[in-house]
Amino acid sequence: MTLRVGYFPQNNSLWVLRHRGILERSVPDVEWVDLRSLPAGDRPAPTEGLPSGHGDHLFDGGYDFIGTGSTPPVTAQAKGHDVVYVAISGPRVENGRIVVQDDSPIAGPADLKGRRVALGHGSWQTTLLLLALEKAGLTWGDIEPVDAYGNAAELFLNGDVDAWVGSYPYLTDVEKRRPVRTVIETPGLFSHRSLWFTSRAFAAERPDDLAAIVAALKESDAWIEANPRAAAELFAADDGGDLDAWEHALRTRPWGLNPVDEDFVAEQQHAADLFHANGLIPRPVTVADAVLPEINALVTAPAS
């Protein structure tokens, strides 16, 4: 039976795994599904909801397994999808933050009120921004969120937005071209982890394939950590980006798979509650419902 794995550059681990052939050693029939090639589906205005395509495609035949940031599995649960977490990365707090141009009058999160803020809506960036607003006593309705995946840096440099939830390596290029100032750091607000999830049905019916994916990701992540320059070449070849910037980004990120622990569940639950309170998901969710002890045991098991 074909194993379909959804991947894109934003989940660095799966991007490298797709290009190195490790998983194919144990699962010969692997279909790699580039998430960028799938229909986007309904993408609500950023003031009205969260996009749900990443979770939806687990249940419409798009793929069997996926890696993203922290937001999509919460969105999937809110849609009624029966997802389960497989593993999480270590904290990636150095990967991004909220910035303004150096001469901006914005001094802190409270000053974002009424401002245009660019972000990749539906990603970890939505979570970080909501947490920053909460800290300042603001809500999603107090800002003008601008959904800008492909051109956020351009909007920021042109002054078309007042602030940007930026991430590396894209921040590297902007910092070379224009002085920027950090308004909100990620540490202390958000652990910003990569994570991997699947459907409960896949986890129950195809445990051997799931175990093969976990083992392959562990091996691949160890290779990235030992060979960041070679790994960076796989990303720069795709987007034409700066090889040094990609290498820097990969060197500063944690590698390896961790089980889903209580601290992560609490952080996810807090984010899910904020999504609901701000009208971005249609109903409350219980994050712990998507955590299975047997999968945590799989992730922590020593390599065979």
Side-chain angles (χ1 to χ4, degrees):
M1 184 181 296
T2 300
L3 170 61
R4 296 160 301 175
V5 181
Y7 76 104
F8 62 161
Q10 285 84 348
N11 188 277
N12 303 153
S13 295
L14 280 175
W15 181 262
V16 174
L17 183 63
R18 185 264 177 270
H19 288 87
R20 299 210 62 242
I22 295 172
L23 180 58
E24 287 80 354
R25 296 204 307 257
S26 54
V27 184
D29 191 6
V30 179
E31 178 185 345
W32 292 95
V33 181
D34 190 331
L35 302 186
R36 300 170 298 180
S37 70
L38 292 169
D42 294 332
R43 192 168 182 88
T47 54
E48 297 175 358
L50 287 162
S52 61
H54 288 155
D56 292 340
H57 292 311
L58 268 174
F59 297 86
D60 66 9
Y63 39 76
D64 303 304
F65 180 91
I66 184 180
T68 66
S70 60
T71 304
V74 174
T75 310
Q77 275 191 284
K79 289 282 294 284
H81 296 316
D82 197 3
V83 302
V84 292
Y85 291 91
V86 175
I88 59 176
S89 77
R92 299 185 302 157
V93 293
E94 301 302 324
N95 180 238
R97 59 193 192 279
I98 301 176
V99 299
V100 297
Q101 297 202 32
D102 192 48
D103 59 357
S104 169
I106 297 172
D111 298 326
L112 293 176
K113 186 173 183 177
R115 302 288 189 167
R116 287 169 55 83
V117 184
L119 74 158
H121 185 51
S123 72
W124 65 272
Q125 298 181 11
T126 302
T127 300
L128 177 61
L129 183 52
L130 267 173
L131 290 168
L133 293 172
E134 180 191 36
K135 186 175 182 179
L138 301 177
T139 69
W140 199 245
D142 288 319
I143 65 165
E144 184 180 345
V146 179
D147 189 3
Y149 254 114
N151 64 338
E154 179 183 352
L155 291 174
F156 179 74
L157 288 168
N158 290 342
D160 296 323
V161 294
D162 301 297
W164 174 35
V165 188
S167 63
Y168 291 101
Y170 311 105
L171 260 171
T172 301
D173 181 60
V174 170
E175 289 169 334
K176 290 178 179 177
R177 298 167 62 185
R178 189 79 52 82
V180 302
R181 181 163 42 82
T182 300
V183 173
I184 298 143
E185 294 278 11
T186 301
L189 275 183
F190 180 43
S191 66
H192 179 25
R193 301 171 189 266
S194 285
L195 53 85
W196 299 269
F197 63 103
T198 187
S199 68
R200 191 177 301 268
F202 179 83
E205 297 166 10
R206 300 176 65 178
D208 290 345
D209 282 346
L210 186 57
I213 294 170
V214 169
L217 279 168
K218 288 180 178 180
E219 181 179 341
S220 183
D221 268 20
W223 180 85
I224 298 170
E225 188 169 26
N227 301 276
R229 186 72 173 183
E233 291 173 353
L234 300 175
F235 294 91
D238 174 72
D239 68 2
D242 183 277
L243 181 59
D244 291 336
W246 268 114
E247 182 181 1
H248 170 75
L250 297 181
R251 284 185 180 276
T252 59
R253 295 177 188 178
W255 301 104
L257 276 63
N258 301 312
V260 178
D261 60 22
E262 292 181 357
D263 289 343
F264 175 75
V265 171
E267 180 179 82
Q268 283 287 85
Q269 188 63 57
H270 185 190
D273 293 343
L274 279 177
F275 294 155
H276 184 249
N278 285 272
L280 294 178
I281 57 176
R283 64 182 185 183
V285 303
T286 302
V287 172
D289 289 346
V291 182
L292 298 180
E294 58 267 34
I295 295 183
N296 274 349
L298 173 66
V299 172
T300 56
S304 57

